[in-house]
Amino acid sequence: MPQLELGCGHAAFGINSVMNRILLVLLAVGSTATVAGEPWTLHTVDNASRGADGVRLADVDKDGRLDIVTGWEEGGKIRICFQPTASAIRKPWPSIQIGSVKSPEDAVFADVNDDGWLDVVSSCEGKQQAVFFHLNPAVTDTATSRERVRKSAAWTTKPVPASMDYTRWMFCEPLDTNSLIFGSKQPNAQITFWDLAAPENNARFHDLRKSGWIMSLCRFDVDDDGDNDIVYSDRKGPFCSVGWLENQSNSEQTTWQDHLIGGKDLEVMFLDIARIDNRSTIACNTRNGYVLLLMPGTDVTQPWHASRIAHPDGVGDGKGVAVGDVNNDGHMDLACTCEHAEGKVGVYWLSEASKGAKNDGELQRWNFNDISGNTKGIKFDRIELLDLDHDGDLDLLTCEERDNLGVIWYENPLN
């Protein structure tokens, strides 16, 4: 049975947590199960503001269930959705606003003050162009303190002074060493490192790589040396590509080596990375009409082997992608989201077609399976694949920004 190790924050963790790797054993059922081509049932998690822009997961209230944080770009809100019990999972989730900022592009859970409770980091790319820390009000590991996490007024918002007017902040990825990695877009687009352990008066950003428009940052131990590297997708400009930053840091200094993976001169969008049977695999959606599938050779520091999987007819432009076994047949599938999907399918999944002679770079056509239909949703975002209803198959969690569907999930009909 294949084994799939996931990257890209499929379940977020505290900075000091050991949960930086998640092993998902694929649920093969002994037969080649299929999922019907009809759209999946849509469930609304939260639609209380405007312009939901991304979903990130972690257990912020320590009740054993993964919660969601989302930045609402047009509404200027940072909101947390608390996952209910399985019996209430199909209803809107209990949700609160924890901060108000301008043009948030991303929000992610991270323990920024090392107190054992997850806070939230928001990244803003509009006129505000700043990073904010939204501090968790819990102070002790008690039921009373956990209840404080669910009280909107108890949260406090703190700007990061060094981030003000520095660049247009787009994405943040927590590492497991008291640090954060940020990505931005022009002007002054960078991948940059923030040391949470540094004294506040000495805190500053350490720029790692000039960029054009960072779409994804994903912590993953690419070279199997026991630390987290960073896989990125850079969408625009002379640096556009998929690559990885090799973590060469030690106790005395922080250093990162940049390596090209592929996708140079393509408009690469969100990516996902997994280790399948001990082989790293990156799927990256593009605006070039296909999903890019990348696998390394014997040397991960050299460009990886590339395959192209065509976007099906009748879908929007490529946006998000996630790797998982959607139909429980023991093989990798790809879930995809789109933007510019007016009157088109905006969310779907692909299963690999019957194998034939395929050369690197040849355009492949995988089997199309509808998820969203073509009547609701225009601009969807990054994807989380997880079993929300506890029935043994992967559901799809995402958000939609233009039709104001908000934070949503689609129920896999397999089981």
Side-chain angles (χ1 to χ4, degrees):
M1 186 183 299
Q3 191 176 72
L4 183 68
E5 179 187 333
L6 300 173
C8 286
H10 283 260
F13 57 97
I15 293 296
N16 292 322
S17 172
V18 297
M19 295 177 60
N20 64 322
R21 292 185 180 182
I22 300 165
L23 296 179
L24 175 64
V25 178
L26 302 179
L27 302 172
V29 294
S31 63
T32 55
T34 60
V35 175
E38 295 296 320
W40 296 8
T41 300
L42 168 66
H43 302 287
T44 298
V45 174
D46 182 24
N47 61 359
S49 189
R50 295 178 294 109
D53 208 356
V55 289
R56 311 293 288 276
L57 301 176
D59 181 8
V60 68
D61 58 354
K62 297 187 179 182
D63 68 352
R65 296 186 292 268
L66 292 175
D67 309 304
I68 303 167
V69 65
T70 296
W72 296 73
E73 185 174 7
E74 282 73 36
K77 311 298 183 186
I78 307 299
R79 293 179 59 81
I80 293 176
C81 307
F82 298 97
Q83 184 174 166
T85 60
S87 61
I89 200 71
R90 295 174 179 84
K91 301 175 182 179
W93 296 12
S95 302
I96 63 170
Q97 177 183 325
I98 63 165
S100 181
V101 297
K102 295 179 180 178
S103 303
E105 271 292 321
D106 179 59
V108 65
F109 294 110
D111 183 2
V112 301
N113 51 10
D114 199 24
D115 66 352
W117 287 89
L118 289 172
D119 310 294
V120 171
V121 181
S122 63
S123 303
C124 301
E125 65 100 4
K127 293 182 179 180
Q128 194 155 54
Q129 295 184 20
V131 171
F132 292 86
F133 293 161
H134 308 274
L135 302 178
N136 193 321
V139 292
T140 58
D141 197 3
T142 64
T144 301
S145 198
R146 287 193 291 272
E147 277 301 311
R148 281 177 54 81
V149 179
R150 292 174 171 253
K151 297 184 182 299
S152 177
W155 287 75
T156 56
T157 296
K158 176 184 177 181
V160 178
S163 71
M164 306 294 288
D165 299 319
Y166 189 86
T167 185
R168 297 168 72 184
W169 300 101
M170 297 297 292
F171 203 86
C172 173
E173 180 77 341
L175 295 178
D176 56 354
T177 53
N178 291 311
S179 57
L180 306 169
I181 298 288
F182 289 91
S184 63
K185 71 178 182 181
Q186 295 291 357
N188 194 34
Q190 301 280 345
I191 296 176
T192 190
F193 174 90
W194 178 265
D195 185 2
L196 287 165
E200 189 165 342
N201 58 347
N202 292 324
R204 65 186 181 89
F205 291 96
H206 302 269
D207 292 339
L208 307 181
R209 178 189 182 271
K210 291 183 178 180
S211 304
W213 180 344
I214 294 298
M215 289 294 293
S216 286
L217 296 172
C218 180
R219 61 183 181 272
F220 198 81
D221 187 3
V222 177
D223 51 3
D224 290 316
D225 65 351
D227 57 27
N228 275 320
D229 309 298
I230 292 293
V231 181
Y232 63 82
S233 56
D234 189 351
R235 176 179 178 178
K236 293 282 191 179
F239 308 103
C240 63
S241 60
V242 176
W244 68 288
L245 294 170
E246 181 183 354
N247 189 343
Q248 300 176 334
S249 304
N250 54 45
S251 59
E252 297 180 356
Q253 61 180 344
T254 300
T255 58
W256 301 77
Q257 178 65 44
D258 191 16
H259 302 289
L260 173 68
I261 291 175
K264 190 171 178 58
D265 299 325
L266 299 177
E267 189 170 358
V268 291
M269 306 296 281
F270 287 115
L271 64 77
D272 194 11
I273 182 168
R275 186 171 284 115
I276 304 170
D277 290 336
N278 294 318
R279 186 181 187 188
S280 296
T281 300
I282 291 176
C284 185
N285 219 332
T286 77
R287 290 290 298 276
N288 303 88
Y290 50 85
V291 175
L292 198 61
L293 204 60
L294 298 155
M295 297 182 183
T298 56
D299 184 355
V300 294
T301 66
Q302 297 301 309
W304 296 15
H305 303 299
S307 302
R308 298 180 299 160
I309 301 170
H311 291 159
D313 297 333
V315 305
D317 296 334
K319 187 70 178 289
V321 67
V323 176
D325 183 8
V326 176
N327 59 353
N328 285 358
D329 67 352
H331 298 288
M332 178 188 74
D333 305 306
L334 299 175
C336 299
T337 57
C338 306
E339 57 187 5
H340 301 128
E342 298 92 333
K344 300 178 179 180
V345 172
V347 187
Y348 60 93
W349 68 278
L350 299 172
S351 56
E352 188 171 6
S354 57
K355 293 186 180 297
K358 296 176 182 176
N359 300 316
D360 284 346
E362 181 184 346
L363 193 62
Q364 303 174 19
R365 290 200 173 271
W366 284 24
N367 297 320
F368 165 76
N369 302 270
D370 195 356
I371 291 180
S372 67
N374 60 8
T375 61
K376 292 183 179 180
I378 296 171
K379 185 179 181 182
F380 297 88
D381 210 82
R382 69 182 301 275
I383 299 166
E384 295 284 353
L385 288 176
L386 70 166
D387 185 5
L388 282 170
D389 53 4
H390 304 284
D391 66 351
D393 56 32
L394 293 174
D395 307 300
L396 188 146
L397 174 69
T398 188
C399 62
E400 196 281 330
E401 189 174 352
R402 288 288 179 262
D403 254 356
N404 215 35
L405 299 182
V407 181
I408 54 177
W409 68 281
Y410 291 95
E411 183 175 352
N412 190 333
L414 178 63
N415 293 326

